[in-house]
Amino acid sequence: MILRRAFLGLALGCAFLLGACSTGAYFWQATAGHLSVLAAAENIDEVLSRPDVPEKLRTQLQYVQEIRGFSVDSLGLPDNRSYRTYADLNRAYAAWNVVASQPDSLTLETWCFPLIGCISYKGFYSESDAVELASVLREQGLDVAVLGVPAYSTLGFTPDPVLNTFVNYPAGELARLVFHELAHQVVYIANDTMFNESFATAVEELGVNAWLAQPGRETLKLQYDTFDSRRNAFRQMLAQTRNDLEQIYRNSQGKDKQQVLILKQKRFDQLHADYAQLKASWGGWSGYDRFMAEDLNNAKLGVSGLYTQYVPAFKALHILCGQSFGRFYEATGALGDLPLEQREKLLDELERGLPLSYGFQCS
């Protein structure tokens, strides 16, 4: 009975992560892939006890322990085994996600599975498997992107380890990632990737600002602020591109499809020019070169919007809840339980500072 429950938890965790219940082959690659991650994990205290641990890794894992304690004590995130172990996967990414959209739309294609509903990506532990699916989807005429995933959440069904794929991030980025993934364990709404990712992004941003505001973290905060300002400028550039493309696609009725695609290409050309200017303003810092060089299309822009669309609304909800993370999480869960139309209306009202409909309030 214990083994059956453990296997069920793993299966559900893989399903939440990668939609692993659609076919036998897909289920088993997800299960085997996650099992290999868990098998590689060691308790962080045990890793730190070894005298031959590289100093850089030692420092980063010590940061993780501080971040993990803060996540529980100050942010009310789950106090469980996640991010208390470390695994070196000997590869650059934990998994690879495939995303796709129509060539004249930013709306992502979805894959639907039992228990978790529909999600906007399909993930693999093998890059070659992801590339193979991407090729099939491109042959169908879709815009497709293959995205390396440094970390993921199994929503608490299994203990998510710290991975070599992100452990060497700057301290602020490391905190941001851990807070984001733990937030997925607090609230997860089936069939609404944008809601889930925006909520987790809001938690990460609120959390990392609080963590870096502690005494003794002034240097780390300066480093983070520099990177974060660049990220925000990059996100704003992408958001403007998405807005312009949405306008192009909305006005496509009555136009020849080829004309629409020409306008689309011109806007992507402008995006490249805008990035060149932005990069020059950073003194040539090239942190987003790979993003801009690989699979830059509707699908990739659609994914970028998933993580930020509702962040201002969730931050407004946090304030409405008196900046209490516990109340904020409860209110987010209540919001997620509402029908989609009501949920989206309330998120819009929160972002715009309007009176909230349906008698919704933070208890």
Side-chain angles (χ1 to χ4, degrees):
M1 187 67 173
I2 293 174
L3 289 176
R4 290 183 63 187
R5 285 181 175 177
F7 181 79
L8 177 60
L10 174 59
L12 289 173
C14 290
F16 276 111
L17 165 62
L18 299 171
C21 298
S22 59
T23 66
Y26 187 65
F27 171 83
W28 286 114
Q29 72 86 25
T31 302
H34 188 59
L35 276 173
S36 69
V37 171
L38 294 179
E42 301 178 79
N43 185 279
I44 289 178
D45 284 332
E46 293 179 4
V47 176
L48 291 174
S49 70
R50 294 202 293 266
D52 61 341
V53 173
E55 196 58 35
K56 173 65 173 177
L57 178 58
R58 182 180 300 277
T59 298
Q60 294 300 106
L61 291 177
Q62 288 170 341
Y63 276 137
V64 168
Q65 291 184 319
E66 294 176 21
I67 290 164
R68 195 63 181 90
F70 185 86
S71 72
V72 174
D73 297 338
S74 298
L75 305 182
L77 291 169
D79 186 4
N80 56 26
R81 292 179 58 206
S82 291
Y83 306 108
R84 302 189 189 278
T85 60
Y86 171 70
D88 187 345
L89 305 181
N90 296 305
R91 59 179 186 259
Y93 295 106
W96 288 263
N97 283 348
V98 179
V99 292
S101 70
Q102 295 296 324
D104 56 354
S105 173
L106 293 173
T107 301
L108 296 177
E109 299 290 300
T110 58
W111 287 267
C112 299
F113 308 99
L115 301 177
I116 64 170
C118 300
I119 53 178
S120 307
Y121 57 87
K122 196 168 187 179
F124 298 87
Y125 283 92
S126 165
E127 184 177 13
S128 61
D129 288 345
V131 170
E132 182 179 352
L133 174 61
S135 296
V136 172
L137 296 174
R138 289 190 183 100
E139 290 175 0
Q140 296 173 9
L142 298 175
D143 276 12
V144 183
V146 177
L147 307 173
V149 180
Y152 60 81
S153 172
T154 56
L155 308 186
F157 283 96
T158 64
D160 301 320
V162 178
L163 302 175
N164 67 293
T165 54
F166 64 84
V167 71
N168 288 319
Y169 283 7
E173 283 300 288
L174 192 56
R176 180 192 65 78
L177 186 148
V178 171
F179 298 154
H180 182 105
E181 300 303 339
L182 287 171
H184 284 311
Q185 297 185 16
V186 176
V187 177
Y188 178 88
I189 306 302
N191 303 324
D192 201 336
T193 303
M194 188 175 292
F195 181 97
N196 296 325
E197 295 299 344
S198 295
F199 164 69
T201 299
V203 173
E204 81 177 43
E205 292 183 1
L206 293 166
V208 75
N209 287 333
W211 186 71
L212 290 172
Q214 296 178 108
R217 305 211 187 279
E218 292 79 10
T219 299
L220 295 179
K221 186 177 188 308
L222 286 173
Q223 294 171 347
Y224 178 81
D225 287 347
T226 297
F227 178 81
D228 195 45
S229 67
R230 291 171 176 172
R231 173 170 48 210
N232 288 334
F234 186 74
R235 284 176 171 174
Q236 289 172 10
M237 180 186 70
L238 295 184
Q240 185 59 58
T241 304
R242 287 196 303 272
N243 291 339
D244 292 345
L245 287 170
E246 285 172 351
Q247 186 69 25
I248 290 171
Y249 301 147
R250 277 198 300 268
N251 296 335
S252 63
Q253 289 186 352
K255 290 184 180 179
D256 178 76
K257 186 172 183 179
Q258 192 59 36
Q259 289 180 304
V260 175
L261 295 181
I262 290 172
L263 292 173
K264 168 189 174 182
Q265 186 57 53
K266 286 183 177 180
R267 187 60 186 87
F268 274 104
D269 291 343
Q270 182 61 51
L271 174 58
H272 280 288
D274 293 341
Y275 177 62
Q277 290 185 344
L278 194 58
K279 183 177 172 180
S281 74
W282 296 335
W285 184 76
S286 58
Y288 293 108
D289 278 10
R290 184 170 184 176
F291 181 98
M292 296 296 295
E294 299 178 3
D295 293 337
L296 188 60
N297 53 32
N298 285 342
K300 202 167 194 179
L301 285 184
V303 170
S304 68
L306 291 177
Y307 287 78
T308 58
Q309 182 70 30
Y310 297 139
V311 171
F314 281 117
K315 287 185 174 180
L317 181 58
H318 181 252
I319 292 173
L320 182 66
C321 293
Q323 299 182 315
S324 162
F325 281 94
R327 294 175 62 202
F328 171 51
Y329 300 151
E330 290 182 10
T332 298
L335 185 61
D337 288 339
L338 295 173
L340 178 61
E341 183 177 345
Q342 294 184 21
R343 187 189 314 159
E344 290 180 339
K345 179 176 175 60
L346 284 165
L347 287 166
D348 179 66
E349 291 169 349
L350 282 163
E351 180 175 358
R352 297 167 61 191
L354 300 176
L356 300 182
S357 304
Y358 315 114
F360 186 86
Q361 59 183 346
C362 185
S363 59

